[in-house]
Amino acid sequence: EAEVAQSPRYKITEKSQAVAFWCDPISGHATLYWYRQILGQGPELLVQFQDESVVDDSQLPKDRFSAERLKGVDSTLKIQPAELGDSAMYLCASSRGAEETQYFGPGTRLLVL
Amino acid sequence: AQKVTQAQTEISVVEKEDVTLDCVYETRDTTYYLFWYKQPPSGELVFLIRRNSFDEQNEISGRYSWNFQKSTSSFNFTITASQVVDSAVYFCALSEAKGFQKLVFGTGTRLLVSP
């Protein structure tokens, strides 16, 4: 069964450092999502791609976060510089199309010290 | 604005008990989707069900069943004869049915099933 892949699974960094997360969606899925999940809360959408284009980044803190999906397949989410409040689980999801069910990867747990 | 409320923060049951997880939602959209996802300790969100707002029929899948009531804006999830492997955090979510889906999640209900 096809799955969404994410790496790394865990990341510990110091504040003011740069971090990057990678996501490989299910093959053939045109829509890709990055969510942030703070401990004890539900995930919140950071950015959504349709192929290589950003269609919603209204909740992305653009002063420090960036996301790209250059070839419309895999994607990278970057934080620079990281802050203590960025400690969270970062989840990637993909769907065949914008109105299809989203399937999630295992997530990257980030701890900023 | 869309909102999902899961009032039960944590539920503890003993194996083989039935348990119902509550979900109440708010939306101004006439068409929308409702979802349930399971998040085991490993962290990934596992898709359980998607329900269109036009389809109010209850659904059963093995030990899982869902009760959708548009009149009360609720989409409750029942696990029959719970098992230890059901222990996880369960999230209810809502999205528009048209255009680019943005899932709005509740805060989740942690289910602990003890032997």
Side-chain angles (χ1 to χ4, degrees), chain A residues 9 33 35 37 40-43 45 48 50 55-56 59 89 91 98-106 109, chain B residues 33 35 37 39-47 50 91 97-108:
Chain A
R9 294 292 308 277
Y33 313 77
Y35 289 83
Q37 183 180 17
Q41 299 182 19
L45 181 70
Q48 178 179 347
Q50 181 66 30
V55 297
D56 185 352
Q59 300 303 310
M89 170 81 93
L91 292 159
E99 299 182 11
E100 302 292 324
T101 297
Q102 296 178 33
Y103 295 93
F104 285 78
R109 294 182 190 267
Chain B
Y33 287 116
F35 302 79
Y37 284 87
Q39 188 172 43
S42 55
E44 83 250 45
L45 284 165
V46 178
F47 167 74
R50 181 173 88 160
F91 289 95
K98 299 178 182 178
F100 295 106
Q101 270 191 19
K102 172 183 175 180
L103 284 173
V104 175
F105 286 86
T107 51

Side-chain angles (χ1 to χ4, degrees), chain A residues 73-92:
Chain A
V73 181
D74 58 336
S75 175
T76 302
L77 178 69
K78 297 179 181 177
I79 308 174
Q80 183 173 16
E83 295 181 353
L84 297 178
D86 296 331
S87 295
M89 170 81 93
Y90 290 83
L91 292 159
C92 179

Side-chain angles (χ1 to χ4, degrees), chain B residues 12-100:
Chain B
S12 293
V13 299
V14 177
E15 216 173 10
K16 298 184 183 178
E17 285 186 21
D18 298 348
V19 58
T20 296
L21 309 181
D22 298 333
C23 173
V24 174
Y25 63 91
E26 297 175 29
T27 182
R28 294 180 180 177
D29 296 325
T30 54
T31 58
Y32 49 89
Y33 287 116
L34 293 163
F35 302 79
W36 276 94
Y37 284 87
K38 173 183 180 180
Q39 188 172 43
S42 55
E44 83 250 45
L45 284 165
V46 178
F47 167 74
L48 296 178
I49 190 171
R50 181 173 88 160
R51 171 65 65 203
N52 188 301
S53 56
F54 286 125
D55 183 0
E56 289 192 65
Q57 280 193 330
N58 292 331
E59 180 156 341
I60 298 174
S61 176
R63 296 185 297 107
Y64 295 169
S65 61
W66 292 269
N67 183 345
F68 176 29
Q69 291 196 341
K70 217 169 179 178
S71 60
T72 57
S73 297
S74 66
F75 186 46
N76 297 337
F77 172 32
T78 297
I79 302 175
T80 303
S82 59
Q83 300 176 1
V84 173
V85 293
D86 295 328
S87 297
V89 180
Y90 291 85
F91 289 95
C92 181
L94 168 69
S95 77
E96 297 176 12
K98 299 178 182 178
F100 295 106

